[in-house]
Amino acid sequence: MATLTVTDKDRFLINQEGQDFSHEAKTFIKIRELALKNLKGLDFPSNKLEDWKYTNLKELGKLEFRPQSAANIHADKINEFKIKNLDAYFLVFVNGFFEPSFSDVIEDKESDFLVTNLNTAKKEFIKLVEPHLGTQTRAKDQFFVNVNSAFSQDGAFIYVKSKAKLDKPVQIIHLVDGDLVAAYPRNLIVVEKFAQAKVVLTYDTIETHSALCNSINEVVVEEGALVQLDKIQNENTNTYHISADFAHQAKDSTFTINTLPANGKVIRNNLNILLNGSNSTANLFGAICLNGNIHVDNQTFVDHAKPHCESNELYKTVVNDQATAIFNGKIYVNKIAQKTNAFQSNANILLSEEAKANAKPQLEIYADDVKCSHGCTIGQFDDEALFYLRARGIKESTAQKVLLDAFIGEVLDHISNEAVRAYANQLIAKNFKSQFAALKN
Amino acid sequence: MLKIKGLKAEIEGKEILKGLNLEVNPGEVHAIMGPNGSGKSTLASVLAGREEYEVTAGSVHFEGKDLLELAPEERAGEGVFLAFQYPVEIPGVSNINFIKTAVNEVREYRGLPNLETKEFMTLLKEKQQLVELSGKLANRSVNEGFSGGEKKRNEIFQMAMLDPKLGVLDETDSGLDIDALRIVSHGVNELKSKDNAFVVVTHYQRLLDYIVPDYVHVLLDGKIVKTGSKELALELEEKGYDWIIKELEEEKL
């Protein structure tokens, strides 16, 4: 007699049954159906998969999430998540649902740009959404990419018309609130030829004892366009964050993504950059300062598909307490991608005995005229530098802060907006303040 | 000011200082000379509080305080300054922020308020001029890409900014050309007063042409074996150290 067992995958998907997306246009329903079909052949990720070797999701698999629903939020609650002194358009989402009353919506058809939610865009601007949504889901074997694609309720839609410039950055605020919440925000950013946009993504928690934020960001960078994304993850220690960021670059374009995972339970970032036009540049920077028990796993994939492109990747990590940092950076250079310049560097500093860092660079090069380099280091703060600072009267805790700032500063300098950089600095300082005091004793 | 009695220190189980005695009073300049491996740099490192060295016997008192009990930053706060033989490069930390942090932390230790930006800038300019250190270096990372001479001038500049009571110069002259040597020495001489003192650790006599010592000590095998006036340095330069070793052996007999 066969026994009926509930797998982690069943448990994970069962709570989404009954979500109704039938009001959507056929083209979007197709994306969801395709994702569901993909999911049939995929298991809930376990450590047996090479991709998930170092990140354990066993506990997550046992959680019985509630069906998605919007939450009631007060305005003053929202305001504290707006980055201080940031002159920006704000889009607010809670548990994956749009909060229009707290958002600055621009959906004037005559405007050079649109700042709105994806559900509105799917109806009002279907011609701008359809060619791009889901097409970058170049990861059909990724469980969480498909879960998001099947069940995402909403997300931001940012569109900048050819040759136009988004006059202010957009801060997309995503909040998690409530227990057993699984949120699936999905943002689409389309920047047309020679246009420019800066977007700041912040992920925070209002309150929860167990939650998952499974997000996707799709970015279309057309010919000669310039896009910068700052992604700051600051959820509470009960929240899992699993995200995938896709950039699709045409020729002469530049895309920069700054990733700053500051707080959470488990954070997994999958960056997937396709350099699909010659002379395009991708910059991937990560500032990872971890304490407590947080586990952060950054996976990057840069696909050099065309010649004369450049990718610069710099991930710097400082790990304290029992925290863990994983870095897996893959660079793929296609046979035709001659004159590729691809640089990757991952430097880790461990501050405690129990802190862990794992670095794995991967280069796959099929062109013969390329410049590629990668380097990984794992170490401690330079004792000589520390002694030098102390010999000049600087307290040990201050000296460590000075060295930390110098180390991480090289990455933070790439965040061009001062208010965002100040916020990033503040999060890092907060993470390390008590620790440096403790180290002194 | 500084009283060292019977100091023994070792690194990785190897004894380097074997019972060193030295007394330094305000207004004095002491030169410590000796061949390689005699313990000159160890003495400087122990005074500054380098943790790799273990003090196994003896005492070091600075103005009545047990210096060995203090952390490196507390020693700096008390007024001990070590000019490094090999100044450390610190990428990403600008020279100006570094010295500003140091000045204010030392002031805090001494119970003084932080310097106002304007006061700080005035002091900075004055002390940069003292060692002819280009203002351009202020915004560069600490010692990164500095020439040998610039590094040493930067040490003396820091010393001038922190205004110590006791300056310990660890082979500050090594690797300097004559111009740099002149500038560094001029800086030290300008800082000299009746209230402070210097211990100049050197391998060569030539530095002592510029920074004139009141006492010259010979350090051999972890002990000060001979003390004399500045003429002793000239004698060492001329005859080396062998004659002292011989003298010592004869004494033993």
Side-chain angles (χ1 to χ4, degrees):
Chain A
M1 206 177 95
T3 47
L4 194 69
T5 53
V6 180
T7 64
D8 289 348
K9 177 176 147 186
D10 296 336
R11 192 178 295 113
F12 205 81
L13 299 181
I14 208 157
N15 63 77
Q16 298 302 331
E17 276 178 6
Q19 299 272 0
D20 182 14
F21 298 106
S22 60
H23 58 278
E24 290 191 340
K26 240 187 206 148
T27 177
F28 302 126
I29 288 177
K30 267 190 194 158
I31 295 174
R32 296 185 189 276
E33 284 171 352
L34 179 65
L36 284 171
K37 198 177 135 208
N38 290 340
L39 280 171
K40 282 200 177 127
L42 294 171
D43 279 330
F44 188 82
S46 77
N47 291 133
K48 282 178 205 146
L49 295 173
E50 183 63 29
D51 268 6
W52 290 93
K53 201 170 166 186
Y54 298 104
T55 298
N56 191 328
L57 297 179
K58 259 188 192 151
E59 265 183 64
L60 176 67
K62 303 292 176 223
L63 292 176
E64 294 182 8
F65 290 109
R66 294 188 280 115
Q68 303 175 60
S69 62
N72 283 326
I73 306 296
H74 268 282
D76 21 326
K77 278 269 179 206
I78 303 286
N79 285 332
E80 60 186 89
F81 298 104
K82 292 182 177 172
I83 293 174
K84 218 175 138 193
N85 301 326
L86 179 66
D87 183 19
Y89 300 109
F90 297 99
L91 290 175
V92 178
F93 297 83
V94 179
N95 296 344
F97 291 84
F98 188 44
E99 297 283 346
S101 53
F102 305 120
S103 299
D104 305 314
V105 173
I106 299 165
E107 36 191 33
D108 177 1
K109 287 187 173 70
E110 302 304 307
S111 168
D112 275 348
F113 46 82
L114 301 168
V115 177
T116 183
N117 64 322
L118 191 55
N119 281 350
T120 301
K122 279 174 170 176
K123 283 181 239 140
E124 305 293 323
F125 308 105
I126 187 163
K127 282 198 175 124
L128 297 177
V129 177
E130 195 185 1
H132 305 297
L133 191 73
T135 57
Q136 279 105 29
T137 317
R138 298 183 297 267
K140 55 177 191 285
D141 58 340
Q142 283 182 22
F143 184 83
F144 290 100
V145 166
N146 285 301
V147 174
N148 179 298
S149 299
F151 302 119
S152 176
Q153 290 282 356
D154 208 348
F157 177 66
I158 295 166
Y159 164 82
V160 189
K161 210 183 198 166
S162 175
K163 293 186 201 160
K165 186 183 168 192
L166 195 61
D167 62 346
K168 288 196 278 191
V170 179
Q171 186 189 349
I172 305 173
I173 299 170
H174 187 268
L175 303 169
V176 165
D177 191 31
D179 290 339
L180 293 166
V181 165
Y184 301 102
R186 186 187 190 102
N187 303 321
L188 175 63
I189 299 163
V190 179
V191 183
E192 287 192 339
K193 286 182 180 178
F194 308 106
Q196 290 182 33
K198 280 184 187 172
V199 177
V200 185
L201 300 156
T202 56
Y203 297 91
D204 292 271
T205 314
I206 295 177
E207 208 181 325
T208 184
H209 290 100
S210 54
L212 165 70
C213 179
N214 172 9
S215 68
I216 289 185
N217 294 296
E218 291 179 281
V219 188
V220 179
V221 192
E222 292 192 348
E223 184 183 344
L226 226 75
V227 179
Q228 180 169 332
L229 219 62
D230 301 325
K231 183 176 165 190
I232 301 174
Q233 296 158 303
N234 187 35
E235 286 154 324
N236 76 4
T237 52
N238 303 318
T239 305
Y240 287 84
H241 189 113
I242 298 172
S243 80
D245 305 297
F246 298 92
H248 184 283
Q249 296 188 238
K251 67 175 182 179
D252 302 320
S253 68
T254 304
F255 173 69
T256 300
I257 179 163
N258 298 307
T259 306
L260 196 130
N263 286 299
K265 183 181 176 72
V266 171
I267 297 179
R268 163 73 170 235
N269 293 313
N270 282 289
L271 267 57
N272 188 323
I273 316 291
L274 175 60
L275 291 158
N276 204 29
S278 62
N279 197 37
S280 51
T281 303
N283 301 308
L284 296 76
F285 303 118
I288 299 118
C289 295
L290 310 178
N291 66 351
N293 282 305
I294 191 174
H295 178 106
V296 173
D297 182 349
N298 283 297
Q299 310 255 330
T300 66
F301 176 54
V302 180
D303 186 351
H304 281 264
K306 294 282 153 65
H308 292 282
C309 293
E310 184 175 313
S311 62
N312 303 299
E313 193 168 357
L314 175 65
Y315 272 69
K316 284 195 157 186
T317 309
V318 183
V319 195
N320 202 1
D321 299 342
Q322 295 86 41
T324 305
I326 315 290
F327 175 79
N328 188 336
K330 188 170 177 180
I331 297 169
Y332 182 94
V333 182
N334 192 288
K335 189 162 77 196
I336 65 156
Q338 300 295 0
K339 305 284 178 189
T340 286
N341 282 325
F343 307 106
Q344 184 191 87
S345 164
N346 171 228
N348 299 277
I349 285 184
L350 302 180
L351 291 182
S352 77
E353 294 274 321
E354 292 155 292
K356 280 200 277 294
N358 228 308
K360 186 179 172 192
Q362 290 174 275
L363 298 181
E364 255 184 71
I365 302 168
Y366 298 101
D368 50 23
D369 186 10
V370 301
K371 254 194 242 166
C372 293
S373 70
H374 67 84
C376 289
T377 58
I378 296 179
Q380 276 85 36
F381 274 130
D382 180 358
D383 281 342
E384 272 295 299
L386 204 58
F387 177 69
Y388 192 68
L389 294 169
R390 294 178 70 191
R392 296 299 174 255
I394 299 172
K395 281 189 288 291
E396 188 173 15
S397 55
T398 312
Q400 283 184 317
K401 182 72 173 57
V402 167
L403 293 180
L404 172 81
D405 286 348
F407 179 74
I408 281 298
E410 194 188 351
V411 178
L412 294 186
D413 285 349
H414 293 290
I415 299 177
S416 57
N417 187 292
E418 248 176 66
V420 180
R421 202 166 57 237
Y423 176 60
N425 263 315
Q426 183 205 323
L427 284 180
I428 288 170
K430 208 171 118 199
N431 270 1
F432 284 97
K433 205 171 177 183
S434 53
Q435 271 63 31
F436 282 143
L439 275 173
K440 212 191 163 189
N441 300 322
Chain B
M1 177 184 266
L2 179 73
K3 281 187 183 136
I4 304 176
K5 277 187 196 159
L7 184 65
K8 292 186 179 179
E10 57 179 51
I11 184 164
E12 289 164 0
K14 191 176 179 247
E15 189 168 71
I16 311 282
L17 297 182
K18 301 176 179 174
L20 185 142
N21 298 304
L22 180 68
E23 193 168 335
V24 178
N25 296 306
E28 295 176 350
V29 174
H30 291 246
I32 306 222
M33 300 185 74
N36 285 333
S38 59
K40 298 190 303 288
S41 281
T42 299
L43 174 63
S45 295
V46 168
L47 289 178
R50 216 182 254 281
E51 277 159 9
E52 304 92 279
Y53 293 89
E54 198 191 335
V55 173
T56 53
S59 65
V60 179
H61 283 88
F62 180 69
E63 299 203 306
K65 281 188 186 156
D66 183 354
L67 197 67
L68 301 176
E69 284 291 302
L70 302 178
E73 57 269 30
E74 292 169 327
R75 298 179 195 204
E78 291 291 335
V80 177
F81 183 96
L82 170 68
F84 281 55
Q85 182 179 5
Y86 303 110
V88 182
E89 297 186 6
I90 312 181
V93 178
S94 79
N95 217 24
I96 190 164
N97 278 341
F98 161 59
I99 197 64
K100 195 173 180 183
T101 307
V103 165
N104 283 331
E105 292 242 340
V106 163
R107 286 180 67 88
E108 189 190 324
Y109 185 88
R110 295 174 187 168
L112 300 167
N114 278 3
L115 279 184
E116 299 284 325
T117 304
K118 208 177 151 194
E119 290 173 290
F120 173 77
M121 291 312 290
T122 310
L123 185 70
L124 181 85
K125 276 196 188 124
E126 183 197 322
K127 302 305 181 190
Q128 278 174 339
Q129 276 168 12
L130 177 70
V131 287
E132 299 175 31
L133 198 65
S134 157
K136 280 181 204 151
L137 295 181
N139 292 316
R140 295 245 303 268
S141 290
V142 177
N143 292 325
E144 199 181 40
F146 285 30
S147 70
E150 282 170 340
K151 281 182 184 170
K152 296 298 173 80
R153 278 188 276 152
N154 198 23
E155 293 294 290
I156 304 305
F157 159 72
Q158 291 167 31
M159 182 163 82
M161 290 295 288
L162 296 176
D163 191 23
K165 290 174 193 153
L166 176 70
V168 180
L169 311 186
D170 187 7
E171 309 225 8
T172 298
D173 53 328
S174 61
L176 288 189
D177 62 34
I178 289 171
D179 285 336
L181 189 67
R182 186 184 48 75
I183 294 167
V184 162
S185 309
H186 170 73
V188 174
N189 288 329
E190 285 293 309
L191 295 174
K192 234 166 66 177
S193 78
K194 63 177 179 25
D195 300 318
N196 61 21
F198 291 90
V199 173
V200 181
V201 173
T202 181
H203 200 65
Y204 304 103
Q205 181 275 334
R206 66 166 187 162
L207 174 66
L208 307 179
D209 287 341
Y210 297 90
I211 304 172
V212 182
D214 299 296
Y215 301 94
V216 173
H217 307 279
V218 178
L219 187 60
L220 266 182
D221 194 26
K223 281 185 198 169
I224 287 176
V225 295
K226 195 176 182 67
T227 295
S229 64
K230 63 179 182 192
E231 281 74 28
L232 176 59
L234 287 166
E235 209 174 344
L236 291 169
E237 178 84 349
E238 199 181 312
K239 302 200 283 192
Y241 293 94
D242 288 350
W243 64 278
I244 297 181
I245 297 171
K246 215 180 246 173
E247 221 177 67
L248 286 172
E249 278 168 357
E250 278 165 12
E251 265 174 39
K252 271 185 197 164
L253 294 170

